Amino acid sequence: MSEQIQSSIRKVCVIGAGTMGIGIAAQVANAGLDVLLLDIAGGGEDRNEVVRNSLQRIEKSDPPSLMAPQNIERIDVGNIEDDLNRISDCDWIVEAIVERLEIKRTLYRNLLPHLKQGALVSSNTSTIPIALLMEGMPDNLRQRFCVTHFFNPVRYMRLLELVKGEETRPEVIETLAYFCERMLGKGVVECADTPGFLGNRVGVFAMQTAIYEATSLGIGIEEADALFGRPMGIPKTGVFGLYDLIGLDLMADVVRSLVSILPAGDPFHGVGGDNPLINSQIEKGYTGNKGKGGFYCEIDGKKLALDLETGKWRDRCEQIPEIAIAGEREGLAFLVRGETDLHKYCWRVLAQVLNYSANLLPQVTRSPQDIDDAMKLGYNWVRGPFEMMDELGLDWFVARLRKEGWVVPEFLRNCDGDPIYRVDERRLKVRHWDGKYHDVNLPEGVVRFSLMRRTLSPVSENESASLFHLDNGVRLVEFHTKANALDGNCMAIIAEAADDPGPGIMIHNDAQHFSAGVNLERFLGFIKDENWTGIDAFLKNFQSSVAALLYCNAPVVGAPSGLAIGGGYEVLAHCDQVIAHANSVLGLVEASVGLVPGGGGVKETYWRWYQRLGDWEKAAWNTFNQIGYGQTGSSPELSADLCYFDLDRDSVVMNRDRLVVAASEALGELAGGYNPRSAPDFVLTGGEVFSDMVKFLEKGKAKGWFYAHDVTVASAIAAIVTGGAGTPLCEVSEQDMFDSERANFINLAQTPQTLERIEMMLGGGGLIRN
């Protein structure tokens, strides 16, 4: 049955070439399928001008919508006046046009004569109920119709809300759930046909509550964002930053739409009323990042923030409140148990959001997991609302609600203090509306390690990383620092795993990013203390740890998602195989902060290029260029062009929730007769090639391509792959390469220009050239 479902969708038509439509079309093309993209006809000679312009937006999108530029060739174009008959060979038609009911109904009627037998039809609407969309439509359409609500940007946001109507056939939902999860890489949450579904129902309420309470308590927008952000397990943009990112005008439309469709007694109306300050900003052109700014802006080089009371600009406060710093470390309970206005802000926001979520049971869903998944997959929350309640302690949370006169939702009353999630015989279960604990619901082959780890006890653990033994004996190394920046503790866990590798080692975590590199703050401390011995010891430890991975007596598989750059990539470079999520960004970026890779990154890149080209000099130039420019691949496919990924050896999965299973299978395949590679010898191409590289840099500096320190850093990379000035063509060991990386790293760390780059980066000023 599953093979029939998978093969039943081979070509897709997307109607509507706006932001959502082109995002959906691009992701279908990323999955390897042909797409027909339609929109209104143009008024000039080119009837498909509207769609062609949208294709240009796909090509220029940042972050990129396409996993490889050539994927756009899978997208064919047309218009709904001339080409609607072409949907007759499409298996799934996705409508993503303007949110106006009659326009959508007219389109559906026009589709009917051209639909092939068995074709599925869905709408990307986030506000209009299926009952209204299908009013007056024939049974033939009603039975094959549903809502597939993607989140923007489609490639990167994991949530797909799948909504069935009263007459939608079960196999329609089954087919789309399977296809979207497997082929498009989505976390599918099936929703009832209720206003706002799940993600926006809770997410927009949370945003409006955070704004309302900041205004009520006189909290500055920077303080509110610092609290309604990482300390609560919410992305660092907070609420005002997120408004700017989405667009104040777009958010205002979303809020008005929800106000118009939610029932009169819904608490959303208490926080979602018209906001005069937001309306005023929109009228003045301050619509967010796409305009002149929104709640934040920059004028004449000065960073400003909007005063919620006066509506005027003031200097932006860069200082993070102590409660936010401590809260990120101590957890939710710390945030809500103090008496300051900032503590009150945290409690009021969380109390309303968690209470609202619980009140959605059972009319919106019978399982708290659906709401938690919607917020984690659609809004990038670390924990969903019900997981937050468990962290706070359900007894404590309900008792405080009662003490303050809240009406406690029936679901929470019925829990009687029992946790919403619990582990039973090493299986994670969640309490449903029926009062029973059910296994957490995930498709076959899907494992979210953030859930799985709750059923496991670490064999070894420190503040930076953990080591687990999975049921099949595989050792799993998990980093869990901020941005998974690597430090000595991470290396200690890697070394421990390599010392007792069992049948194999998997390096994986379920954070947004695999690792953003080595902990720069640690290096900044070393540099300020002029502790060059400390840097040398750190790098030696890093190098010995990744070498232990490379040469241990069992296979090692890295399973990254998100950023795997700098030191994070160096860990992967010393794995036997990489099973990467399709959105993984791989590469070595140390040059941007005035350093060179010091954990074997230059060595492994150089070796890989030689393996591909069979020519040491060409390998040296390619390594010099891409590491010097800090090039990364925004997908595994593009990383393969840089030798950071090997399409013959490594693998890609579209759904990050399938990384654990895929990596386990890869370890099983590698285990039979496994032998680690033999330590290779390297050829240094000598002083003449080094001289040519330096001449290239000096020429580029004279033309304004490079700054002085760019030349210094790139010259260090050149020295590693050539041996430097006066060196003859010679053969060296892998350890010699490690030593050269370390020596050049320390030399650069002693320069004031590198110190300036690192301080600017860590201080929030971004990357500078000097």
Side-chain angles (χ1 to χ4, degrees), residues 5-6 9-10 12 28 31 33 92 174-186:
I5 292 173
Q6 187 174 14
I9 298 179
R10 297 175 180 172
V12 177
V28 173
L33 278 73
W92 175 26
E174 183 184 2
T175 299
L176 286 172
Y178 186 96
F179 177 83
C180 292
E181 188 268 312
R182 295 282 185 127
M183 301 297 291
L184 301 188
K186 297 303 170 187

PDB file of all heavy atoms in Angstrom, residues 5-6 9-10 12 28 31 33 92 174-186:
ATOM      1  N   ILE A   5       0.983   4.461  -2.611  1.00  0.00           N
ATOM      2  CA  ILE A   5       0.776   5.850  -2.219  1.00  0.00           C
ATOM      3  C   ILE A   5       1.932   6.707  -2.717  1.00  0.00           C
ATOM      4  O   ILE A   5       1.740   7.773  -3.294  1.00  0.00           O
ATOM      5  CB  ILE A   5       0.649   5.960  -0.683  1.00  0.00           C
ATOM      6  CG1 ILE A   5      -0.653   5.305  -0.217  1.00  0.00           C
ATOM      7  CG2 ILE A   5       0.681   7.414  -0.244  1.00  0.00           C
ATOM      8  CD1 ILE A   5      -0.773   5.216   1.281  1.00  0.00           C
ATOM      9  N   GLN A   6       3.163   6.231  -2.492  1.00  0.00           N
ATOM     10  CA  GLN A   6       4.327   7.015  -2.873  1.00  0.00           C
ATOM     11  C   GLN A   6       4.349   7.297  -4.367  1.00  0.00           C
ATOM     12  O   GLN A   6       4.718   8.375  -4.808  1.00  0.00           O
ATOM     13  CB  GLN A   6       5.600   6.287  -2.437  1.00  0.00           C
ATOM     14  CG  GLN A   6       6.864   7.111  -2.651  1.00  0.00           C
ATOM     15  CD  GLN A   6       8.088   6.438  -2.090  1.00  0.00           C
ATOM     16  OE1 GLN A   6       8.061   5.258  -1.766  1.00  0.00           O
ATOM     17  NE2 GLN A   6       9.168   7.172  -1.964  1.00  0.00           N
ATOM     18  N   ILE A   9       1.674  10.121  -6.649  1.00  0.00           N
ATOM     19  CA  ILE A   9       1.902  11.536  -6.950  1.00  0.00           C
ATOM     20  C   ILE A   9       3.238  11.654  -7.672  1.00  0.00           C
ATOM     21  O   ILE A   9       4.297  11.485  -7.082  1.00  0.00           O
ATOM     22  CB  ILE A   9       1.891  12.394  -5.671  1.00  0.00           C
ATOM     23  CG1 ILE A   9       0.524  12.318  -4.994  1.00  0.00           C
ATOM     24  CG2 ILE A   9       2.246  13.846  -5.998  1.00  0.00           C
ATOM     25  CD1 ILE A   9       0.420  13.105  -3.713  1.00  0.00           C
ATOM     26  N   ARG A  10       3.140  11.921  -8.970  1.00  0.00           N
ATOM     27  CA  ARG A  10       4.342  12.023  -9.792  1.00  0.00           C
ATOM     28  C   ARG A  10       4.512  13.411 -10.401  1.00  0.00           C
ATOM     29  O   ARG A  10       5.616  13.793 -10.764  1.00  0.00           O
ATOM     30  CB  ARG A  10       4.295  10.986 -10.906  1.00  0.00           C
ATOM     31  CG  ARG A  10       4.292   9.548 -10.378  1.00  0.00           C
ATOM     32  CD  ARG A  10       4.124   8.543 -11.489  1.00  0.00           C
ATOM     33  NE  ARG A  10       4.124   7.174 -10.989  1.00  0.00           N
ATOM     34  CZ  ARG A  10       3.837   6.106 -11.729  1.00  0.00           C
ATOM     35  NH1 ARG A  10       3.527   6.259 -13.004  1.00  0.00           N
ATOM     36  NH2 ARG A  10       3.859   4.891 -11.193  1.00  0.00           N
ATOM     37  N   VAL A  12       2.924  17.570  -9.987  1.00  0.00           N
ATOM     38  CA  VAL A  12       2.135  18.473  -9.149  1.00  0.00           C
ATOM     39  C   VAL A  12       1.895  19.771  -9.902  1.00  0.00           C
ATOM     40  O   VAL A  12       2.775  20.265 -10.618  1.00  0.00           O
ATOM     41  CB  VAL A  12       2.866  18.755  -7.823  1.00  0.00           C
ATOM     42  CG1 VAL A  12       2.091  19.759  -6.971  1.00  0.00           C
ATOM     43  CG2 VAL A  12       3.097  17.452  -7.046  1.00  0.00           C
ATOM     44  N   VAL A  28       8.650  21.013  -4.112  1.00  0.00           N
ATOM     45  CA  VAL A  28       8.290  19.841  -4.918  1.00  0.00           C
ATOM     46  C   VAL A  28       9.412  19.561  -5.920  1.00  0.00           C
ATOM     47  O   VAL A  28       9.794  18.402  -6.139  1.00  0.00           O
ATOM     48  CB  VAL A  28       6.947  20.060  -5.633  1.00  0.00           C
ATOM     49  CG1 VAL A  28       6.659  18.925  -6.597  1.00  0.00           C
ATOM     50  CG2 VAL A  28       5.812  20.170  -4.611  1.00  0.00           C
ATOM     51  N   ALA A  31      12.245  17.885  -4.378  1.00  0.00           N
ATOM     52  CA  ALA A  31      11.983  16.465  -4.143  1.00  0.00           C
ATOM     53  C   ALA A  31      12.155  15.631  -5.403  1.00  0.00           C
ATOM     54  O   ALA A  31      11.999  14.402  -5.356  1.00  0.00           O
ATOM     55  CB  ALA A  31      10.571  16.291  -3.581  1.00  0.00           C
ATOM     56  N   LEU A  33      10.399  16.070  -8.396  1.00  0.00           N
ATOM     57  CA  LEU A  33       9.194  15.927  -9.199  1.00  0.00           C
ATOM     58  C   LEU A  33       9.025  17.115 -10.134  1.00  0.00           C
ATOM     59  O   LEU A  33       9.487  18.224  -9.848  1.00  0.00           O
ATOM     60  CB  LEU A  33       7.954  15.801  -8.309  1.00  0.00           C
ATOM     61  CG  LEU A  33       7.666  14.405  -7.754  1.00  0.00           C
ATOM     62  CD1 LEU A  33       8.659  14.035  -6.669  1.00  0.00           C
ATOM     63  CD2 LEU A  33       6.239  14.339  -7.208  1.00  0.00           C
ATOM     64  N   TRP A  92      -1.681  15.999  -8.267  1.00  0.00           N
ATOM     65  CA  TRP A  92      -2.046  16.805  -7.103  1.00  0.00           C
ATOM     66  C   TRP A  92      -2.041  18.258  -7.536  1.00  0.00           C
ATOM     67  O   TRP A  92      -1.063  18.740  -8.099  1.00  0.00           O
ATOM     68  CB  TRP A  92      -1.061  16.557  -5.957  1.00  0.00           C
ATOM     69  CG  TRP A  92      -1.259  17.405  -4.738  1.00  0.00           C
ATOM     70  CD1 TRP A  92      -2.410  17.991  -4.301  1.00  0.00           C
ATOM     71  CD2 TRP A  92      -0.241  17.749  -3.783  1.00  0.00           C
ATOM     72  NE1 TRP A  92      -2.178  18.682  -3.130  1.00  0.00           N
ATOM     73  CE2 TRP A  92      -0.867  18.546  -2.787  1.00  0.00           C
ATOM     74  CE3 TRP A  92       1.117  17.462  -3.675  1.00  0.00           C
ATOM     75  CZ2 TRP A  92      -0.148  19.051  -1.697  1.00  0.00           C
ATOM     76  CZ3 TRP A  92       1.822  17.963  -2.585  1.00  0.00           C
ATOM     77  CH2 TRP A  92       1.190  18.750  -1.612  1.00  0.00           C
ATOM     78  N   GLU A 174      -4.438  10.039   3.716  1.00  0.00           N
ATOM     79  CA  GLU A 174      -3.357   9.060   3.839  1.00  0.00           C
ATOM     80  C   GLU A 174      -2.285   9.301   2.774  1.00  0.00           C
ATOM     81  O   GLU A 174      -1.076   9.275   3.054  1.00  0.00           O
ATOM     82  CB  GLU A 174      -3.929   7.643   3.717  1.00  0.00           C
ATOM     83  CG  GLU A 174      -2.890   6.553   3.913  1.00  0.00           C
ATOM     84  CD  GLU A 174      -3.457   5.163   3.701  1.00  0.00           C
ATOM     85  OE1 GLU A 174      -4.650   5.043   3.356  1.00  0.00           O
ATOM     86  OE2 GLU A 174      -2.691   4.195   3.871  1.00  0.00           O
ATOM     87  N   THR A 175      -2.724   9.533   1.553  1.00  0.00           N
ATOM     88  CA  THR A 175      -1.773   9.744   0.454  1.00  0.00           C
ATOM     89  C   THR A 175      -0.944  11.005   0.674  1.00  0.00           C
ATOM     90  O   THR A 175       0.288  10.984   0.547  1.00  0.00           O
ATOM     91  CB  THR A 175      -2.529   9.845  -0.880  1.00  0.00           C
ATOM     92  OG1 THR A 175      -3.237   8.631  -1.106  1.00  0.00           O
ATOM     93  CG2 THR A 175      -1.579  10.104  -2.041  1.00  0.00           C
ATOM     94  N   LEU A 176      -1.606  12.110   1.005  1.00  0.00           N
ATOM     95  CA  LEU A 176      -0.881  13.369   1.163  1.00  0.00           C
ATOM     96  C   LEU A 176       0.002  13.355   2.404  1.00  0.00           C
ATOM     97  O   LEU A 176       1.104  13.922   2.399  1.00  0.00           O
ATOM     98  CB  LEU A 176      -1.855  14.539   1.199  1.00  0.00           C
ATOM     99  CG  LEU A 176      -2.464  14.897  -0.158  1.00  0.00           C
ATOM    100  CD1 LEU A 176      -3.558  15.942  -0.016  1.00  0.00           C
ATOM    101  CD2 LEU A 176      -1.382  15.401  -1.123  1.00  0.00           C
ATOM    102  N   ALA A 177      -0.454  12.714   3.481  1.00  0.00           N
ATOM    103  CA  ALA A 177       0.376  12.617   4.681  1.00  0.00           C
ATOM    104  C   ALA A 177       1.660  11.864   4.372  1.00  0.00           C
ATOM    105  O   ALA A 177       2.766  12.281   4.747  1.00  0.00           O
ATOM    106  CB  ALA A 177      -0.394  11.931   5.811  1.00  0.00           C
ATOM    107  N   TYR A 178       1.533  10.755   3.670  1.00  0.00           N
ATOM    108  CA  TYR A 178       2.696   9.939   3.317  1.00  0.00           C
ATOM    109  C   TYR A 178       3.632  10.713   2.382  1.00  0.00           C
ATOM    110  O   TYR A 178       4.841  10.788   2.609  1.00  0.00           O
ATOM    111  CB  TYR A 178       2.228   8.649   2.646  1.00  0.00           C
ATOM    112  CG  TYR A 178       3.334   7.655   2.355  1.00  0.00           C
ATOM    113  CD1 TYR A 178       3.596   6.612   3.232  1.00  0.00           C
ATOM    114  CD2 TYR A 178       4.110   7.765   1.209  1.00  0.00           C
ATOM    115  CE1 TYR A 178       4.606   5.702   2.976  1.00  0.00           C
ATOM    116  CE2 TYR A 178       5.121   6.867   0.941  1.00  0.00           C
ATOM    117  CZ  TYR A 178       5.368   5.826   1.821  1.00  0.00           C
ATOM    118  OH  TYR A 178       6.372   4.941   1.559  1.00  0.00           O
ATOM    119  N   PHE A 179       3.060  11.309   1.351  1.00  0.00           N
ATOM    120  CA  PHE A 179       3.869  12.006   0.355  1.00  0.00           C
ATOM    121  C   PHE A 179       4.589  13.207   0.961  1.00  0.00           C
ATOM    122  O   PHE A 179       5.791  13.411   0.740  1.00  0.00           O
ATOM    123  CB  PHE A 179       2.994  12.448  -0.811  1.00  0.00           C
ATOM    124  CG  PHE A 179       3.730  13.240  -1.858  1.00  0.00           C
ATOM    125  CD1 PHE A 179       4.455  12.603  -2.844  1.00  0.00           C
ATOM    126  CD2 PHE A 179       3.705  14.628  -1.844  1.00  0.00           C
ATOM    127  CE1 PHE A 179       5.148  13.328  -3.808  1.00  0.00           C
ATOM    128  CE2 PHE A 179       4.386  15.363  -2.795  1.00  0.00           C
ATOM    129  CZ  PHE A 179       5.107  14.709  -3.781  1.00  0.00           C
ATOM    130  N   CYS A 180       3.864  14.014   1.708  1.00  0.00           N
ATOM    131  CA  CYS A 180       4.454  15.244   2.252  1.00  0.00           C
ATOM    132  C   CYS A 180       5.503  14.942   3.318  1.00  0.00           C
ATOM    133  O   CYS A 180       6.499  15.666   3.436  1.00  0.00           O
ATOM    134  CB  CYS A 180       3.364  16.160   2.800  1.00  0.00           C
ATOM    135  SG  CYS A 180       2.277  16.841   1.518  1.00  0.00           S
ATOM    136  N   GLU A 181       5.284  13.878   4.070  1.00  0.00           N
ATOM    137  CA  GLU A 181       6.266  13.518   5.092  1.00  0.00           C
ATOM    138  C   GLU A 181       7.516  12.924   4.456  1.00  0.00           C
ATOM    139  O   GLU A 181       8.634  13.321   4.752  1.00  0.00           O
ATOM    140  CB  GLU A 181       5.631  12.543   6.085  1.00  0.00           C
ATOM    141  CG  GLU A 181       6.503  12.245   7.298  1.00  0.00           C
ATOM    142  CD  GLU A 181       7.383  11.030   7.104  1.00  0.00           C
ATOM    143  OE1 GLU A 181       6.892   9.980   6.667  1.00  0.00           O
ATOM    144  OE2 GLU A 181       8.595  11.148   7.383  1.00  0.00           O
ATOM    145  N   ARG A 182       7.340  11.964   3.555  1.00  0.00           N
ATOM    146  CA  ARG A 182       8.483  11.263   2.954  1.00  0.00           C
ATOM    147  C   ARG A 182       9.191  12.107   1.897  1.00  0.00           C
ATOM    148  O   ARG A 182      10.418  12.193   1.887  1.00  0.00           O
ATOM    149  CB  ARG A 182       8.004   9.963   2.301  1.00  0.00           C
ATOM    150  CG  ARG A 182       7.457   8.925   3.248  1.00  0.00           C
ATOM    151  CD  ARG A 182       8.559   8.176   3.963  1.00  0.00           C
ATOM    152  NE  ARG A 182       8.033   7.109   4.781  1.00  0.00           N
ATOM    153  CZ  ARG A 182       8.445   5.851   4.714  1.00  0.00           C
ATOM    154  NH1 ARG A 182       9.373   5.506   3.835  1.00  0.00           N
ATOM    155  NH2 ARG A 182       7.955   4.921   5.522  1.00  0.00           N
ATOM    156  N   MET A 183       8.425  12.667   0.983  1.00  0.00           N
ATOM    157  CA  MET A 183       9.013  13.317  -0.191  1.00  0.00           C
ATOM    158  C   MET A 183       9.335  14.797   0.033  1.00  0.00           C
ATOM    159  O   MET A 183      10.347  15.298  -0.447  1.00  0.00           O
ATOM    160  CB  MET A 183       8.074  13.169  -1.386  1.00  0.00           C
ATOM    161  CG  MET A 183       7.772  11.727  -1.762  1.00  0.00           C
ATOM    162  SD  MET A 183       9.243  10.820  -2.290  1.00  0.00           S
ATOM    163  CE  MET A 183       9.581  11.628  -3.855  1.00  0.00           C
ATOM    164  N   LEU A 184       8.466  15.492   0.756  1.00  0.00           N
ATOM    165  CA  LEU A 184       8.682  16.926   0.970  1.00  0.00           C
ATOM    166  C   LEU A 184       9.346  17.222   2.308  1.00  0.00           C
ATOM    167  O   LEU A 184       9.686  18.374   2.589  1.00  0.00           O
ATOM    168  CB  LEU A 184       7.360  17.692   0.861  1.00  0.00           C
ATOM    169  CG  LEU A 184       6.614  17.563  -0.476  1.00  0.00           C
ATOM    170  CD1 LEU A 184       5.429  18.521  -0.510  1.00  0.00           C
ATOM    171  CD2 LEU A 184       7.536  17.817  -1.661  1.00  0.00           C
ATOM    172  N   GLY A 185       9.511  16.197   3.151  1.00  0.00           N
ATOM    173  CA  GLY A 185      10.239  16.366   4.403  1.00  0.00           C
ATOM    174  C   GLY A 185       9.476  17.083   5.491  1.00  0.00           C
ATOM    175  O   GLY A 185      10.077  17.697   6.380  1.00  0.00           O
ATOM    176  N   LYS A 186       8.152  17.001   5.469  1.00  0.00           N
ATOM    177  CA  LYS A 186       7.348  17.752   6.425  1.00  0.00           C
ATOM    178  C   LYS A 186       6.964  16.909   7.647  1.00  0.00           C
ATOM    179  O   LYS A 186       6.807  15.695   7.570  1.00  0.00           O
ATOM    180  CB  LYS A 186       6.060  18.265   5.752  1.00  0.00           C
ATOM    181  CG  LYS A 186       6.316  19.238   4.622  1.00  0.00           C
ATOM    182  CD  LYS A 186       7.125  20.431   5.114  1.00  0.00           C
ATOM    183  CE  LYS A 186       7.608  21.321   3.994  1.00  0.00           C
ATOM    184  NZ  LYS A 186       8.516  22.369   4.472  1.00  0.00           N
TER     185      LYS A 186
END
